[in-house]
Amino acid sequence: MLGGQAAQAADPRVERIDPVVHNGQMELDADVSFELNSQLRDAAQRGVPLYFTADLVIKRSRWWWFDRTVVDTSLTWRIVYNALTRQWRAGTSALTLPVASLDDAMDLVRHIRRWQIGKANQFESDVKYSGQLRVRLDTSMLTRPLQVNALNSSSWSPATPWTTFSFSLAQPK
């Protein structure tokens, strides 16, 4: 029984999701438990860039038709080790910054902060919104030979399950 509990504790999962309004923008903060297995660590330490993607969908329910999708977006981080300079780099889009270690780079993925997901005025006050969030290793951005390897190995497909949350904005005073 203990072996099953240990394996379950190592599974990636979203632990906290907090949508907040800041300076007229709807932003999302989230904490994710996401540990790399030995195969992914080894590949990263050999210079294979790893891409992690957070997928987010927020909907507003409607009684008369299908739910309306308010936000459907994703955020991708790139983590890469340069063996020549012995330096880790991590970041989103074209902006990557040096970090001290692979674990420090993974902290960007584990602690999502101030992710701007839309303008606050596209969300109505006192309306309940439901959302889903997941974080995954994005194998579609790997090189072709590694994509084939990822298809054949479960260790190359870690992902959190879709985690649901709901929120509503308070009426401004």
Side-chain angles (χ1 to χ4, degrees):
M1 185 71 174
L2 273 178
Q5 287 176 343
Q8 191 176 25
D11 288 342
R13 67 187 179 284
V14 177
E15 296 177 338
R16 181 184 70 88
I17 302 170
D18 188 22
V20 294
V21 176
H22 187 262
N23 292 335
Q25 292 285 327
M26 177 62 80
E27 296 178 349
L28 187 88
D29 291 346
D31 290 327
V32 179
S33 173
F34 204 110
E35 298 300 324
L36 295 179
N37 59 44
S38 59
Q39 263 191 324
L40 292 176
R41 281 189 172 279
D42 185 50
Q45 290 167 345
R46 293 177 187 262
V48 174
L50 298 180
Y51 297 88
F52 295 90
T53 299
D55 300 311
L56 175 69
V57 177
I58 297 176
K59 295 183 177 189
R60 176 185 177 185
S61 63
R62 296 190 284 198
W63 64 271
W64 53 275
W65 197 248
F66 296 111
D67 292 348
R68 180 172 65 98
T69 302
V70 181
V71 174
D72 187 355
T73 188
S74 62
L75 177 66
T76 300
W77 298 270
R78 180 178 185 256
I79 297 173
V80 66
Y81 179 69
N82 186 327
L84 188 61
T85 61
R86 296 183 183 179
Q87 186 177 50
W88 288 96
R89 296 189 68 80
T92 59
S93 63
L95 177 64
T96 60
L97 301 172
V99 290
S101 67
L102 176 58
D103 289 323
D104 288 347
M106 284 301 296
D107 278 344
L108 292 173
V109 177
R110 291 182 189 122
H111 305 291
I112 302 168
R113 295 295 179 262
R114 300 188 73 172
W115 178 14
Q116 292 187 354
I117 58 174
K119 297 226 179 270
N121 61 9
Q122 75 187 83
F123 297 89
E124 297 177 35
S125 299
D126 298 326
V127 172
K128 185 176 179 182
Y129 292 92
S130 60
Q132 292 184 310
L133 175 70
R134 75 171 174 179
V135 178
R136 60 189 167 85
L137 175 68
D138 196 345
T139 55
S140 68
M141 300 183 89
L142 295 172
T143 60
R144 286 279 183 224
L146 289 175
Q147 286 182 14
V148 171
N149 188 31
L151 287 172
N152 297 326
S153 173
S154 63
S155 61
W156 279 85
S157 58
T160 67
W162 283 99
T163 303
T164 58
F165 65 98
S166 62
F167 68 96
S168 63
L169 299 179
Q171 183 73 25
K173 297 180 181 181

